[in-house]
Amino acid sequence: MNRKEKRTGLQSILSKIDENCCPNFFLTGRSYSSLEKKAMDLADEIQRRRLVDFSGAKQDFSIVIPYFNEPKAAKSFVDRLAESISIARDCYYQYRGIVIIEFDKEWSKRGVNSSLRTVFDYMKTRSELCFILLAVTGKESGNLGTIYSELCSMDLWLPLEVESASPEECADYVKATAGHFKLSIPEDVSEALLEMFRQRDETNISNEEAAESLVKQILFRRLVNSDHSPEIDISEISYLNGSANTHLSRQIGFIKDNR
C-alpha cells in the first residue's frame, strides 16, 4: 500500500546529498516493523547512491539499545556496539558503513539522561559511520524531542517521519483485495474490521502489515477448508485482534534482541 510513493520520496531526499557526504538519520514512527523496513530501504539507497565510502565485511548492521539510567549499563552497551563494529570490520583496516540503532520504547517516554549521553559521546567519535536511529512514537513519547535535540548538538542529523496507513486505508485495502478474489464483506463485518484497526496497538506490527497478513490468512484458510462462501464473516477477521499484541521475535544485528 503506497510503497512506491514512499520509496520515491526517499529517493528524492537522498538525491540532494553528495557522494561520501552522508548525514545521520533519526527515524520516528508508530511501529517498530515500519521503522525497521524504512531503515533497510534507507540503507539500501545509501549504498546504491554511494553516499558512504564503505569498508568492511558487512555494509550495515543493526542493534537494539535497551533502556538504562546508570553508567555501568551505558558502558556495557557501548562495549557491545564497539564489538559489533569490530565484527563488521572483520579483516579490513577500518569499518565504514551504516549502523542502525533501535531505541527501546521507554526512551521515547523518558528522553535523554546522562547515561545516554555516554553513548552519544561514543557515537560522536565514530564520524566514519552513518548512524540511523529508530524511535517509536506513541501517547507517551513527549520526551522524544530531547533525544533529537541532543543529537543535533553534536552532528548533522536528518529527521524522517515514517507514516503509517490509516485504519480507513487498511480496512479499504482488505475489502478491495477481497473483492479482487470475488469475496465480499457485509456491512456489519466491515464496521467491526474498521474498529479493530482503530483499536490495534501498532507498536510491534503496523496496521498496514496486519491488513496484508489478514488477507493472506483468510485466503489460505479458505483454500485449505474449501470454503466457497462469497461472504467473509466475523470469525475470519478475528485473526486481526490476535496480531495486535504480537511481539517481534526477530533477532536484530549481531546481538540478540532483548527489547
Side-chain angles (χ1 to χ4, degrees):
M1 289 184 282
N2 299 322
R3 282 202 180 96
K4 186 175 181 181
E5 292 180 11
K6 293 177 182 178
R7 191 168 185 82
T8 300
L10 182 60
Q11 291 173 341
S12 176
I13 292 171
L14 296 184
S15 67
K16 301 175 183 177
I17 302 173
D18 295 332
E19 283 192 13
N20 299 324
C21 188
C22 193
N24 300 302
F25 298 86
F26 186 62
L27 274 57
T28 56
R30 296 200 301 265
S31 165
Y32 276 121
S33 58
S34 293
L35 286 170
E36 289 170 2
K37 285 187 175 182
K38 188 72 167 184
M40 293 298 107
D41 286 344
L42 181 55
D44 288 344
E45 281 296 314
I46 290 172
Q47 293 170 19
R48 191 176 71 81
R49 294 177 182 275
R50 298 181 180 178
L51 301 184
V52 172
D53 184 16
F54 289 104
S55 174
K58 191 174 180 66
Q59 290 190 327
D60 61 74
F61 70 87
S62 46
I63 185 172
V64 172
I65 177 169
Y67 182 77
F68 47 73
N69 190 15
E70 54 183 32
K72 184 177 179 181
K75 183 181 183 304
S76 176
F77 177 77
V78 168
D79 289 345
R80 287 172 50 203
L81 179 56
E83 178 187 5
S84 296
I85 292 172
S86 177
I87 294 172
R89 178 179 65 83
D90 196 33
C91 61
Y92 289 79
Y93 173 73
Q94 182 186 47
Y95 178 64
R96 296 177 61 88
I98 300 170
V99 180
I100 301 170
I101 300 179
E102 185 174 288
F103 281 97
D104 181 276
K105 60 183 178 181
E106 196 67 19
W107 288 109
S108 299
K109 300 177 186 178
R110 299 180 181 271
V112 174
N113 57 37
S114 59
S115 297
L116 184 59
R117 289 190 179 97
T118 299
V119 177
F120 287 170
D121 287 343
Y122 172 76
M123 291 167 55
K124 189 175 180 179
T125 67
R126 308 306 300 256
S127 58
E128 75 278 9
L129 303 177
C130 171
F131 288 98
I132 302 177
L133 303 190
L134 315 180
V136 70
T137 57
K139 295 179 180 179
E140 299 179 301
S141 59
N143 288 314
L144 201 56
T146 64
I147 294 178
Y148 181 62
S149 296
E150 192 80 16
L151 292 170
C152 289
S153 69
M154 68 177 193
D155 216 332
L156 183 62
W157 288 81
L158 181 63
L160 293 176
E161 173 68 25
V162 180
E163 297 181 358
S164 298
S166 69
E168 289 76 14
E169 289 175 319
C170 292
D172 287 344
Y173 168 80
V174 174
K175 288 187 284 187
T177 307
H180 177 76
F181 290 94
K182 296 181 169 46
L183 299 174
S184 63
I185 301 181
E187 187 62 28
D188 60 330
V189 178
S190 179
E191 291 177 359
L193 178 65
L194 178 58
E195 190 60 26
M196 285 181 182
F197 277 119
R198 287 173 174 167
Q199 293 181 3
R200 280 192 77 254
D201 177 5
E202 291 188 82
T203 301
N204 288 330
I205 305 295
S206 69
N207 276 348
E208 186 173 350
E209 290 174 285
E212 294 172 350
S213 179
L214 176 63
V215 169
K216 291 178 182 177
Q217 183 73 9
I218 290 173
L219 295 176
F220 177 73
R221 287 178 57 183
R222 283 172 169 266
L223 176 65
V224 172
N225 297 330
S226 300
D227 188 345
H228 300 294
S229 171
E231 287 193 348
I232 293 174
D233 62 41
I234 194 73
S235 67
E236 292 181 278
I237 67 170
S238 61
Y239 167 74
L240 183 66
N241 274 342
S243 67
N245 295 315
T246 300
H247 186 75
L248 291 180
S249 60
R250 169 184 172 219
Q251 183 167 321
I252 186 167
F254 297 116
I255 309 297
K256 186 177 180 181
D257 183 351
N258 292 316
R259 179 172 58 235

